[in-house]
């Protein structure tokens, strides 16, 4: 009986022992699973996502950048293709010999490290692989503990399986610390050696391998002897593993490590601001992940623009800012752009801002008139004030030339003939044609009038320069691209540009205008180089001075701008100030001609057809009651605004709708609003191209 009871109790104890064993195993599995999940979820990928934004030129050089958004570090994305082959071999040889074969963890290396750590009774060796070092950076581990090491092991296996070996290597090359606020091989190479990492020498490569182990302790600018010791250790190991020859080893060992941090110049600073801000506001699903922007900016040409800006800043008379852009009419790319000569006071990329074109749109009205058979370059026109009453736009000397040929009127930028031409072409047709597929020209209410030819609209310098490039390419308009989809040189982008091009003007009319503009008067102290076809413009109150022109395959736009738009009168003009800069730039560019076909057309004849020998744009004889005239304010008077800060403009006469224009803008109201004392000018236009203008002074009550 006792035996049976004993056997029964043994069974019960066995049952509970098995149950306890299962429970213990379950708890252990749960704990391990929780630890694995915790280790994986503690990996923070935000350092990759928050890396620096970088703008590259056509050769892969950094021309603008931002610091990382999380720690204000130089953290440039670096891929294995970005670094030299010798550096990659040294890295793998020193840090992770079996990188291309293990699953993210080298268990033999870990066992060896554990043995030495136990022997020394402290952590002296980590046995970390490249993947484990990446996890350490992404998990923000700062202490060397066995728990953290276990987390790194789990995380390394996970990211290798989840993202792949090449991605892990890219993350290491992007995140590895190099002292100060420098992260990643590309930023480190630029800051320490002033060149990209694809040109790393054996000595530089060895230092790049050694630095991440203790970046602050072996910084070459602070501890050159210590840096040299660790660099040489990496060199010796590279020789031992057959990566470099004995001769290269001797040379590398002899090189010191007295490197200093370089100031990483931003050769296209404002363009970078424009690009990075544009990316932030983009609604594209992919744009949020984009941090690297590739362009066809030519650093040699960019240097020319930057030098022009520096020269301008030394000699400028007021707070005006110079901006420039260069287009390549063969590749249809923007190859250089300087957004502001004074980045201390203006960091806006001005070539993308809408500004008044002044009289720079006149050539396109002439071309449209040529194409329509309403005008010929040899047509004799009238430049007389009687045609438009008291109109006084930017003919600075207020003199008239009487009878003059159309080609000369265009070169001299005369306003009265231009008003006749825009009337013949039609302001609506002119506006719609320039905006045929791409909106480049803007007006206040979408209802253009004759003042559009004298600068009442707005256009960016990039778009204006693109229109002049269209004259250089015989009437074919190309959307000049700034960004490339890929960093390598492919044909995809050029094919897209070709497909989106369209004919804006006939070959003959575009060529005729282009050749006429070669005879525009040259600025002072510049050679009479007839190969340069160009036009100048000056906006109301001299706020913008413009010059746009072509020489060979390049078309250049120059703008001297007052972004503050104060009502003060300025002194800059297109001819005196912008044109010399244009010529300085064009004459430094390589003289490479575009291939153009020979054209035979009546527009190139020295004699106009009989019907076009004299202007056939007849000004209507209007009755006195129809004459358009401003009755208030009077010319040269002093007026005060009403309690709302408004001055109402009164006029009499005129045919059809009358438009009010002031400060280069067409207004929908019959008043202007003023907030400060100063001199003002207003003009009115009617549908028959009549106009009248008055200048007056405002004194606040």
């Amino acid at each position: 009986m006792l035996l049976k009871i004993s056997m029964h109790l043994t069974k019960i104890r066995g049952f509970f022992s098995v149950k306890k064993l299962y429970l213990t195993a379950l708890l252990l599995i749960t704990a391990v699973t929780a630890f694995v999940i915790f280790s994986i979820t503690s990996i923070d990928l935000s350092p990759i996502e928050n890396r620096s934004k970088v703008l590259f030129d056509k050769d892969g050089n950094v021309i603008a950048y931002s610091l990382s958004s999380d720690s204000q570090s130089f953290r440039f994305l670096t891929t294995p293709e970005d670094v030299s082959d010798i550096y990659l071999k040294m890295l793998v040889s020193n840090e992770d010999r079996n990188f291309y074969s293990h699953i993210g963890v080298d268990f033999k290396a870990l066992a060896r490290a554990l043995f030495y750590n136990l022997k020394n009774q402290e952590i002296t060796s980590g046995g970390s692989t490249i993947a484990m070092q990446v996890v350490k950076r992404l998990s923000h581990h700062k202490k060397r503990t066995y728990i953290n090491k276990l987390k790194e092991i789990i995380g390394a296996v996970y990211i290798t399986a989840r993202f792949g070996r090449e991605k892990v290597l890219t993350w290491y090359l992007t995140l590895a610390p190099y002292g100060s606020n420098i992260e990643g091989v590309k930023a480190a190479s630029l800051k320490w050696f002033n060149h990209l990492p694809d040109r790393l020498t054996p000595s530089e490569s060895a230092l790049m391998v050694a630095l991440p182990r203790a970046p602050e302790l072996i910084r070459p600018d602070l501890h050159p002897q210590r840096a040299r010791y660790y660099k040489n250790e990496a060199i010796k190991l590279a020789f031992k593993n057959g990566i470099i020859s004995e001769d290269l080893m001797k040379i590398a060992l002899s090189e010191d490590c007295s490197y200093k941090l370089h100031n990483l110049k931003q050769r296209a600073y404002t363009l970078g601001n424009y690009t990075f801000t544009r990316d932030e506001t983009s609604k594209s699903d992919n744009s949020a992940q984009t941090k690297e922007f590739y362009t066809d900016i030519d650093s040699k040409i960019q240097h020319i623009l930057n030098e022009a800006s520096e020269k301008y800043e030394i000699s400028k008379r007021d707070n005006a800012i110079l901006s420039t852009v260069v287009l390549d009419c063969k590749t249809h790319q923007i190859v250089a752009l300087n957004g502001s000569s004074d980045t201390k006071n203006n960091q806006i990329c001005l070539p993308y801002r809408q500004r008044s074109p002044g009289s720079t749109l006149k050539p396109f009205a002439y071309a449209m008139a040529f194409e329509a058979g309403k005008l010929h370059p040899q047509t004799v026109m009238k430049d007389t004030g009687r045609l438009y009453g008291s109109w006084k736009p930017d003919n600075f000397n207020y003199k008239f030339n009487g009878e003059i040929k159309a080609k000369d009127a265009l070169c001299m930028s005369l306003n009265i003939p231009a008003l006749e031409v825009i009337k013949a072409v039609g302001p609506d047709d002119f506006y719609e044609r320039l905006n045929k597929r791409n909106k480049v020209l803007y007006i206040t209410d979408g209802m253009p009038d004759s003042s559009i030819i004298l600068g009442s609209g707005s256009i960016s310098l990039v778009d204006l320069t693109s229109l002049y490039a269209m004259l250089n390419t015989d009437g074919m308009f190309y959307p000049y691209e700034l960004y490339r989809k890929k960093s390598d040189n492919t044909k995809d982008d050029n094919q897209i540009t070709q497909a989106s091009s369209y004919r804006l003007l006939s070959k003959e009319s575009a060529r005729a205008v282009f050749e006429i503009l070669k005879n525009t008067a040259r600025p002072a102290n510049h050679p009479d180089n007839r190969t340069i076809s160009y036009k100048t413009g000056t906006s109301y109150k001299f706020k913008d001075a413009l010059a746009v022109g072509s020489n060979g395959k390049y078309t250049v736009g120059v703008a001297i701008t007052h972004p503050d738009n104060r009502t003060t009168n300025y002194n800059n003009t297109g001819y005196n100030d912008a044109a010399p800069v244009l010529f300085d730039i064009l004459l430094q560019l390589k003289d490479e001609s575009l291939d153009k076909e020979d054209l035979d057309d009546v527009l190139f004849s020295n004699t106009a057809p009989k019907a076009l020998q004299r202007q056939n744009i007849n000004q209507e004889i209007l009755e006195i009651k129809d004459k358009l005239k401003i009755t208030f304010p009077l010319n040269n008077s002093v007026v005060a605004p009403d309690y709302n800060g408004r001055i109402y403009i009164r006029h009499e006469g005129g045919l059809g709708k009358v438009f009010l224009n002031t400060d280069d803008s067409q207004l929908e109201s019959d008043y202007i609003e003023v907030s400060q004392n100063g001199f003002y000018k207003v003009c009115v236009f009617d549908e028959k191209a009549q106009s009248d203008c008055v200048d007056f002074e405002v004194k606040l009550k």
Side-chain angles (χ1 to χ4, degrees):
M1 184 67 179
L2 291 174
L3 181 61
K4 289 183 179 181
I5 293 173
S6 177
M7 291 177 63
H8 184 66
L9 290 174
T10 300
K11 288 181 180 180
I12 294 174
R13 283 197 297 269
F15 172 77
F16 280 106
S17 296
V18 171
K19 187 175 181 181
K20 184 177 181 181
L21 181 63
Y22 279 122
L23 183 60
T24 302
L26 180 61
L27 290 174
L28 182 61
I29 292 172
T30 302
V32 170
T33 303
F35 185 79
V36 170
I37 293 173
F38 174 73
S39 299
I40 292 174
T41 55
S42 66
I43 297 175
D44 178 16
L45 295 180
S46 65
I48 299 294
E49 298 168 357
N50 296 327
R51 65 186 183 273
S52 302
K53 293 184 178 182
V54 187
L55 187 69
F56 297 96
D57 69 8
K58 68 172 186 174
D59 297 318
N61 298 305
V62 175
I63 55 176
Y65 61 85
S66 68
L67 298 179
S68 65
S69 57
D70 51 5
S71 61
Q72 295 298 290
S73 300
F74 293 90
R75 188 189 303 148
F76 301 162
L77 178 69
T78 310
T79 67
E81 292 76 23
D82 294 330
V83 300
S84 66
D85 185 57
I86 195 168
Y87 164 77
L88 273 183
K89 290 179 178 178
M90 281 192 185
L91 173 67
V92 173
S93 174
N94 277 264
E95 297 297 315
D96 193 354
R97 187 178 301 179
N98 298 314
F99 172 75
Y100 292 102
S101 59
H102 60 60
I103 61 172
V105 178
D106 190 336
F107 290 103
K108 288 184 179 180
L110 278 176
R112 184 167 55 250
L114 180 61
F115 171 77
Y116 285 115
N117 292 339
L118 292 175
K119 181 180 179 181
N120 297 317
Q121 295 185 348
E122 62 176 330
I123 301 177
T124 59
S125 177
S128 293
T129 61
I130 288 175
M132 290 171 66
Q133 292 180 55
V134 169
V135 172
K136 182 178 180 179
R137 296 287 292 173
L138 294 177
S139 301
H140 311 292
H141 294 163
K142 294 184 179 180
K143 292 185 178 181
R144 299 178 70 177
T145 65
Y146 287 111
I147 292 295
N148 284 342
K149 184 64 65 175
L150 188 56
K151 290 179 183 178
E152 292 165 17
I153 292 171
I154 295 170
V157 174
Y158 168 73
I159 64 172
T160 302
R162 173 69 176 81
F163 300 102
R165 212 176 303 275
E166 289 299 309
K167 181 72 75 175
V168 170
L169 183 56
T170 293
W171 288 352
Y172 176 87
L173 298 176
T174 302
L175 296 172
Y178 284 94
S180 185
N181 62 336
I182 306 167
E183 299 178 27
V185 181
K186 183 174 289 184
S189 181
L190 289 167
K191 292 290 287 182
W192 289 118
F193 312 128
N194 200 30
H195 63 70
L196 290 168
D198 60 348
R199 291 158 38 203
L200 287 171
T201 66
S203 179
E204 293 169 345
S205 296
L207 183 58
M208 288 291 97
V209 169
L211 259 176
R213 297 171 185 170
E216 292 302 327
L217 293 178
I218 58 177
R219 274 180 59 168
D221 59 335
L222 302 178
H223 311 288
Q225 294 303 319
R226 197 179 296 165
R228 183 173 183 175
Y229 170 80
Y230 284 101
K231 180 264 292 184
N232 286 348
E233 289 298 303
I235 287 289
K236 292 173 185 176
L237 184 58
F239 169 70
K240 180 182 178 181
N241 293 331
I243 297 173
I244 59 175
S245 66
E246 185 175 359
D247 290 339
L248 280 178
M249 179 188 70
K250 291 179 179 179
I251 295 172
L253 289 175
S254 66
E255 295 180 13
D256 63 21
C257 282
S258 56
Y259 298 106
K260 302 298 181 184
L261 285 173
H262 291 271
N263 180 24
L264 189 51
K265 293 182 179 180
Q266 304 201 60
R267 297 180 180 87
Y269 176 67
T270 55
L271 180 58
N273 284 347
Y274 170 78
T275 300
F276 304 151
T277 303
R278 175 178 176 267
D279 176 64
E280 289 172 0
T281 57
S282 173
K283 296 181 180 180
S284 172
D285 292 336
N286 298 324
S287 66
Q289 303 300 322
T290 302
K291 306 291 181 180
E292 293 71 40
F293 303 87
Y294 301 96
T295 72
D296 272 315
I297 295 293
D298 186 319
S299 284
K300 292 181 180 179
I301 301 178
Q302 186 68 28
H303 180 66
I304 293 174
L305 299 193
N306 292 346
E307 282 194 328
S309 290
E310 292 173 6
K311 180 180 177 182
Y312 175 78
E313 283 298 308
I314 293 173
S315 60
K316 74 176 185 179
R317 301 186 298 270
D318 54 19
N319 66 334
I321 294 172
L322 172 70
S323 59
T324 48
V325 61
V326 180
L327 308 183
D328 186 326
C329 296
K330 275 191 174 181
T331 64
H332 314 300
Q333 298 288 342
I334 298 174
V335 293
L337 188 150
N338 187 300
S340 171
S341 60
D342 183 5
T343 54
K344 291 182 180 179
N345 296 309
N346 180 83
Q347 299 179 356
I348 299 171
C349 194
L350 292 174
Y352 285 99
R353 285 298 181 97
Q354 300 292 321
R355 304 289 298 182
S356 166
S359 58
T360 57
L361 297 182
K362 290 176 182 176
F364 308 108
Y366 276 80
M368 293 178 193
F370 291 162
E371 184 178 329
K374 296 181 178 180
L375 195 67
H376 187 277
Q378 301 294 334
T379 299
V380 176
M381 305 184 72
K382 294 179 181 178
D383 180 32
T384 168
R386 288 180 298 174
L387 289 172
Y388 296 97
S390 60
W391 168 249
K392 298 182 292 184
D394 67 358
N395 276 353
F396 300 128
N397 57 10
Y398 298 103
K399 294 181 180 179
F400 300 100
N401 295 273
E403 292 189 342
I404 189 171
K405 290 184 177 180
K407 63 183 184 67
D408 297 323
L410 175 55
C411 286
M412 295 172 66
S413 194
L414 300 178
N415 291 305
I416 302 307
L419 286 167
E420 294 186 44
V421 172
I422 193 64
K423 179 184 176 184
V425 172
D428 290 322
D429 291 341
F430 177 78
Y431 174 74
E432 291 174 6
R433 192 161 179 184
L434 288 186
N435 292 325
K436 184 176 180 179
R437 290 190 192 174
N438 298 290
K439 182 88 174 197
V440 296
L441 181 61
Y442 295 81
I443 55 176
T444 302
D445 60 359
M447 297 180 63
D449 59 60
S450 298
S451 67
I452 196 172
I453 201 62
L454 302 177
S456 65
S458 62
I459 189 172
S460 72
L461 182 63
V462 170
D463 287 334
L464 181 63
T465 309
S466 298
L467 287 175
Y468 274 80
M470 178 269 300
L471 295 178
N472 197 11
T473 54
D474 286 343
M476 285 296 293
F477 185 89
Y478 296 90
Y480 281 76
E481 302 292 342
L482 174 60
Y483 308 104
R484 298 185 63 85
K485 293 183 179 179
K486 302 175 183 177
S487 59
D488 59 338
N489 189 17
T490 65
K491 295 182 180 179
D492 296 343
D493 295 324
N494 194 44
Q495 290 174 349
I496 292 172
T497 301
Q498 293 283 355
S500 58
S501 64
Y502 58 92
R503 178 158 296 285
L504 184 57
L505 294 172
S506 69
K507 293 180 181 180
E508 294 77 13
S509 63
R511 180 80 65 85
V513 169
F514 187 80
E515 293 299 319
I516 287 172
L517 293 178
K518 288 182 179 180
N519 296 293
T520 303
R522 269 45 192 161
N525 301 322
H526 282 80
D528 190 15
N529 189 334
R530 295 290 175 176
T531 62
I532 294 180
S533 172
Y534 88 108
K535 179 75 177 68
T536 63
T538 307
S539 68
Y540 179 61
K541 289 192 176 181
F542 309 95
K543 289 180 182 177
D544 299 89
L546 303 162
V548 193
S550 303
N551 182 21
K553 71 170 185 174
Y554 295 109
T555 298
V556 176
V558 173
I560 296 174
T561 306
H562 294 85
D564 55 9
N565 283 330
R566 292 184 301 170
T567 57
T568 309
N569 280 294
Y570 301 104
N571 298 315
N572 295 302
T573 68
Y575 177 76
N576 291 327
D577 300 278
V581 178
L582 174 72
F583 273 67
D584 283 343
I585 294 170
L586 282 172
L587 294 176
Q588 291 183 71
L589 297 177
K590 184 179 179 181
D591 188 8
E592 184 179 345
S593 300
L594 284 177
D595 294 327
K596 296 184 179 182
E597 64 178 295
D598 293 331
L599 297 178
D600 183 15
D601 190 81
V602 67
L603 288 175
F604 308 114
S605 172
N606 290 327
T607 304
K610 187 175 181 179
L612 295 176
Q613 288 180 358
R614 302 187 68 82
Q615 67 178 45
N616 58 359
I617 311 167
N618 297 318
Q619 179 72 15
E620 293 184 21
I621 300 176
L622 303 174
E623 298 180 12
I624 295 178
K625 66 181 181 65
D626 295 325
K627 294 289 185 181
L628 181 61
K629 183 176 179 59
I630 295 176
T631 58
F632 182 84
L634 298 177
N635 198 38
N636 298 321
S637 62
V638 179
V639 297
D642 63 17
Y643 64 94
N644 289 319
R646 297 175 177 177
I647 297 176
Y648 284 85
I649 310 302
R650 306 302 183 190
H651 67 272
E652 61 182 22
L655 294 172
K657 184 174 181 179
V658 175
F659 303 91
L660 175 63
N661 181 281
T662 183
D663 198 19
D664 298 325
S665 300
Q666 179 180 299
L667 302 181
E668 299 181 27
S669 61
D670 59 350
Y671 59 84
I672 63 171
E673 294 183 344
V674 297
S675 59
Q676 57 186 344
N677 294 330
F679 291 91
Y680 292 79
K681 182 172 189 172
V682 295
C683 301
V684 289
F685 297 84
D686 68 8
E687 294 180 2
K688 294 296 182 180
Q690 289 191 99
S691 64
D692 190 31
C693 298
V694 294
D695 294 280
F696 56 93
E697 183 180 1
V698 171
K699 288 188 176 181
L700 303 180
K701 296 178 181 178

